[in-house]
Each structure stands twice: as structure tokens, then as C-alpha cells.
């Protein structure tokens, strides 16, 4: 999730909320029969979509057939793009949920279950690689969950375990806010924030407990030092659920080439974020140029609501955010593909995947990518660059499934050793 964010954490220069459905010249990009066949044969996995915000705040139904729906994700759009598994982001805004992070976390988790319950013929909750494969066989969307921001555990390992029991299968160690045990990339230049030089000892215990549980360690959003601490601590491969390449776009949310190589050595995967501000340098610069005016306009709206004693209207803030994002020309699809290509070349084709940030970027996606229905265009673009069908299937989801399976195996091994230890003592 990137809208409230520009207001609450202006240094991140990013914004989130449901996406716009702007048309573009790339919208008519031809997808060949070969590309469609590869797309249909793959288990396509996206590791980050912020649609649960819509479930809660808009009453959005993922089964919607509304032709005017501005969102990226619906069951129809997923079907058209052959999206097989979606990790729905459980993001708790740290400013508006002070004192009840866990409560809002549970509400968001519940919203995903509610959607799956409404559409059992087309969608199912999934908690493992085996579940994702079963959903694929049954032609259903596998719904998984990842917590975006370690503040959701409220410094309590019991909550972490309960989230796992409810089906959460990754946690981003920090969001754009530094928490009590992990530094974020979003506020490293804020002198008012107390930083820890990466992970605290408790933070390292969290990583190891995630390994034991079988919850993937997500290093998107974290500071550079937190990244290196997580890599050094984790006994299982890590993921970057929605990050791109800093060599191409100079944003702290993107990853350096050294980081990419470290993820490869760790056996993990970097899932490329589709947000225009992270994949196109010209867009990033234009976004920075208008960020202060944008933040001021949205802050004035928030202040007016507070003065009237009214709750903050997420839907209205999102509308404002989309209007600001729409002032900047969308970059070409090439910008997104460049990041996939760069990470494949630096880290290796076994270590790159898709982490769209759908429904979390206020419509700010490259030309031609207006929803999950457009995912086959990525397959076509990769084929055009000479990628083999096998490698395209790895990028579309195979790499994430391999990493998820390895995380499950490490968990089983740790729990087995733990059981042997307890038996012997």
C-alpha cells in the first residue's frame, strides 16, 4: 500500500488507494497466441495487492462486474489475466489506527475470508504451495495474505503466531514507518524518529520465529541496514513482496544491485513493484516536484475533517490522490519490463517475480497495465525480449512457489528439531 502515505509520511513520496482505469496507447498491445498459451499454462502469482482496504472502506465485492470499477483486482479481471494466486496485503495505517493496530489487522484478515466465503466457486483461501496448486486445478483464485508492516504485531510474539494461525504467510518487517524493532526506508531522514541501526535483538527473534512458523520474511519497505540484518538472520529464503531496482530508479524503496545479489545468494525472490514512481525515473522526479503541494492539499482536507469531528474519509483521500497522480504522464510498459529484466540479469532469472502493488498506487501504473486482466502483456513483452517459455513461467509465479516451498521446508525442519530437543529434555 503506498495514499494516506504521502500525507502521513511525506518523505516516502508515494500514495496509495484504488487504481484508476486510465486508457493508454499500450492498452491495445497485441498478445500472441504463444504468449496466451504460456500465460494459461502458468500458475501466476502476485505477491502484493491492497484490495482489502477496498473490502473494508468501500464495501467492495471482489465479484463486482461494474464496468466503471476503477480497481485493479476483481474475480473477472483475475480470470482474464489468468492470475492464479494473490497475496492480499493486510496494511494497517499507523497514524489513524494508533492504539489498535491488532484490531484493524484482524478486521482486514476477516474481510479477505468474507470475500472467499461469498464466492466459493471462484475463490478459495490458501495457506500453502499445495493449496495454490489445488486452486489452480480447480480454476479458482487462491487468496493468501501478507501483513504489510511489523507494527501489526504490537511487539507481541503471541500475535505473530495468531496471525500465522489465521493464514498470514508473509510479513513485511516494516512499512514506511520505523517500528520498535525494525528501521524503515520511509523515515530514515526524519530526525524525530528513533532508529535502531537495522533490526533490534527482538527484531531478529521475530525473523527467526517467522522462519519457525513458515511465514516468509518480506524485506520490502525496510531500511538498507534492516535488509542486511534480515539476510544475515533468516534461516530461510526472504522475499521482497513489492520492490524494484534502484540502479534504474533512485528511490530508497528500490533495491541496490548488491541487495539483489544477496537475495539470490539467500535463495529468495524479488517481486517487481508496478508503481510508476518506482519503475520510471522521470515519473519519480515529477512526483517529487508535486509532492509538497499534493501533501498540503490532502492535509488540508484531513484537518477540515478533524475540525468537524468527522472520521478521515479514505475514499475521498484516494480520489484526491488519483487526481494528483493523473497529472503525470504514465510511463511506457517498457519501464516495468526493464526492472524485471535488470533483476533477472543481476540476481538471476530464478530470483524475480511479480509484486504489483495493485489497488495500492492510485492508478499510477505503466501504460497498458490497467488491471490484473493485463498481465498477459508482461508475458508478451518478456517473449519479445527473448525470454524462454520456461523462464517466463518462473517469473510469473514459479519462483515464488519455489521460495514458499523452501520456507515451508525450513519450518518443518526447525519444528522437528525443536520436537527432538523437547523429547530429549
Amino acid at each position: 500500500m503506498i495514499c494516506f502515505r504521502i500525507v502521513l509520511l511525506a518523505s516516502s513520496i508515494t500514495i496509495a488507494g484504488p487504481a484508476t482505469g486510465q486508457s493508454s496507447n499500450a492498452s491495445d498491445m497485441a498478445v500472441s497466441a504463444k504468449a496466451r498459451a504460456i500465460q494459461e499454462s502458468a500458475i501466476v502469482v502476485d505477491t502484493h495487492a491492497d484490495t482489502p482496504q477496498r473490502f473494508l472502506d468501500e464495501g467492495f465485492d471482489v465479484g463486482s462486474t461494474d464496468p466503471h470499477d476503477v480497481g485493479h483486482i476483481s474475480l473477472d479481471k483475475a480470470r482474464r489475466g489468468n492470475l492464479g494466486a494473490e497475496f492480499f496485503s493486510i496494511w494497517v495505517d499507523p497514524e489513524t489506527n494508533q492504539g489498535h493496530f491488532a484490531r484493524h489487522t484482524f478486521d482486514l484478515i476477516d474481510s479477505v475470508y468474507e470475500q472467499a466465503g461469498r464466492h466459493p466457486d471462484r475463490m478459495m483461501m490458501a495457506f500453502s504451495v499445495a493449496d495454490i496448486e489445488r486452486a489452480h486445478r480447480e480454476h479458482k483464485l487462491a487468496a493468501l495474505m501478507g501483513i504489510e508492516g511489523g507494527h501489526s504485531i504490537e511487539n507481541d510474539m503471541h500475535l505473530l503466531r495468531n496471525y500465522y494461525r489465521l493464514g498470514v504467510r508473509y510479513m513485511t518487517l516494516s512499512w514506511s514507518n520505523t517500528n520498535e524493532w525494525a528501521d524503515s526506508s520511509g523515515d530514515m531522514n526524519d530526525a524525530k524518529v528513533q532508529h535502531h541501526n537495522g533490526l533490534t535483538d527482538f527484531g531478529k527473534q521475530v525473523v527467526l520465529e517467522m522462519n519457525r512458523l513458515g511465514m516468509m520474511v518480506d524485506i520490502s519497505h525496510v531500511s538498507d541496514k534492516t535488509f542486511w540484518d534480515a539476510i544475515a538472520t533468516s534461516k530461510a529464503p526472504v522475499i521482497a513482496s513489492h520492490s524494484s531496482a534502484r540502479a534504474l530508479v533512485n528511490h530508497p524503496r528500490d533495491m541496490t544491485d548488491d541487495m539483489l545479489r544477496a537475495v539470490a545468494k539467500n535463495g529468495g525472490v524479488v517481486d517487481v513493484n508496478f508503481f510508476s514512481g518506482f519503475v520510471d525515473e522521470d515519473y519519480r522526479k515529477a512526483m517529487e516536484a508535486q509532492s509538497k503541494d499534493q501533501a498540503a492539499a490532502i492535509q488540508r482536507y484531513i484537518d477540515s475533517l478533524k475540525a468537524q469531528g468527522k472520521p478521515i474519509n479514505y475514499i475521498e483521500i484516494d480520489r484526491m490522490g488519483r487526481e494528483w497522480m493523473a497529472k503525470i504522464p504514465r510511463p511506457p510498459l517498457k519501464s516495468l519490463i526493464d526492472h524485471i529484466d535488470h533483476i533477472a540479469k543481476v540476481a538471476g532469472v530464478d530470483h524475480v517475480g511479480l509484486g504489483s502493488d495493485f489497488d495500492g498506487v492510485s492508478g499510477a501504473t505503466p501504460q497498458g497495465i490497467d488491471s490484473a486482466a493485463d498481465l498477459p502483456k508482461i508475458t508478451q513483452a518478456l517473449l519479445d525480449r527473448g525470454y524462454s517459455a520456461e523462464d517466463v513461467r518462473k517469473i510469473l509465479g514459479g519462483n515464488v512457489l519455489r521460495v514458499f516451498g523452501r520456507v515451508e521446508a525450513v519450518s518443518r525442519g526447525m519444528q522437528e528439531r525443536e520436537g527432538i530437543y523437547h523429547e530429549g529434555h
Side-chain angles (χ1 to χ4, degrees), residues 149-422:
H151 57 282
S152 274
I153 71 169
E154 296 184 351
N155 309 309
D156 187 344
M157 213 73 85
H158 300 94
L159 272 174
L160 178 69
R161 294 178 194 127
N162 283 332
Y163 294 147
Y164 179 84
R165 293 178 186 118
L166 287 172
V168 172
R169 289 300 178 265
Y170 77 67
M171 183 171 71
T172 322
L173 299 181
S174 72
W175 176 61
S176 296
N177 58 308
T178 289
N179 56 49
E180 287 87 351
W181 47 270
D183 288 341
S184 165
S185 65
D187 58 15
M188 286 306 293
N189 296 322
D190 189 342
K192 298 188 296 293
V193 175
Q194 180 179 349
H195 294 107
H196 319 293
N197 190 32
L199 284 176
T200 67
D201 288 344
F202 178 75
K204 293 172 183 176
Q205 292 171 27
V206 169
V207 167
L208 292 172
E209 182 63 6
M210 291 171 70
N211 292 163
R212 191 189 72 83
L213 291 170
M215 186 184 290
M216 289 181 282
V217 175
D218 177 19
I219 49 74
S220 286
H221 278 291
V222 304
S223 72
D224 290 6
K225 182 58 163 59
T226 301
F227 167 86
W228 291 110
D229 285 353
I231 285 282
T233 303
S234 182
K235 296 181 182 296
V238 303
I239 66 167
S241 69
H242 58 309
S243 293
S244 300
R246 206 180 299 179
L248 303 184
V249 174
N250 186 27
H251 195 291
R253 274 285 283 105
D254 287 346
M255 299 175 65
T256 67
D257 284 1
D258 283 346
M259 290 175 173
L260 298 178
R261 284 186 280 267
V263 170
K265 186 176 180 181
N266 162 271
V269 62
V270 177
D271 300 305
V272 175
N273 193 319
F274 295 6
F275 176 50
S276 296
F278 296 160
V279 298
D280 189 89
E281 183 68 7
D282 290 339
Y283 193 100
R284 182 192 70 81
K285 290 176 179 176
M287 189 175 62
E288 279 193 27
Q290 73 171 29
S291 63
K292 288 184 179 179
D293 289 341
Q294 179 182 358
I298 297 176
Q299 190 63 53
R300 283 194 297 272
Y301 174 70
I302 290 176
D303 291 343
S304 71
L305 288 177
K306 289 180 177 178
Q308 299 171 62
K310 294 180 180 179
I312 294 174
N313 187 326
Y314 165 82
I315 298 171
E316 178 64 15
I317 290 177
D318 170 68
R319 183 193 63 76
M320 296 171 68
R322 283 187 277 118
E323 288 178 357
W324 280 92
M325 290 291 100
K327 294 179 181 181
I328 308 172
R330 293 170 73 180
L333 178 59
K334 175 184 181 296
S335 294
L336 170 60
I337 306 304
D338 284 348
H339 283 259
I340 297 173
D341 196 35
H342 180 83
I343 295 169
K345 286 181 167 65
V346 174
V349 75
D350 291 331
H351 303 285
V352 60
L354 305 179
S356 67
D357 216 347
F358 277 158
D359 287 332
V361 292
S362 295
T365 50
Q367 295 174 24
I369 304 296
D370 295 325
S371 77
D374 294 314
L375 291 172
K377 295 174 185 176
I378 294 174
T379 293
Q380 182 64 58
L382 291 171
L383 288 176
D384 290 345
R385 294 205 185 190
Y387 282 81
S388 69
E390 179 186 4
D391 284 346
V392 170
R393 280 190 284 265
K394 288 179 180 180
I395 293 167
L396 291 177
N399 290 335
V400 171
L401 293 177
R402 184 198 74 247
V403 170
F404 192 4
R406 182 57 189 155
V407 169
E408 291 176 334
V410 169
S411 168
R412 285 193 298 271
M414 291 178 74
Q415 292 188 33
E416 285 169 5
R417 287 191 293 276
E418 185 179 73
I420 291 170
Y421 173 83
H422 286 307

Side-chain angles (χ1 to χ4, degrees), residues 38-74:
I38 293 170
Q39 191 81 16
E40 290 300 316
S41 69
I43 299 182
V44 183
V45 183
D46 176 39
T47 52
H48 197 92
D50 280 294
T51 322
Q53 300 296 321
R54 302 193 67 199
F55 298 157
L56 272 190
D57 297 333
E58 293 182 37
F60 175 70
D61 189 320
V62 76
S64 172
T65 57
D66 178 4
H68 303 295
D69 170 42
V70 298
H72 282 137
I73 298 284
S74 71

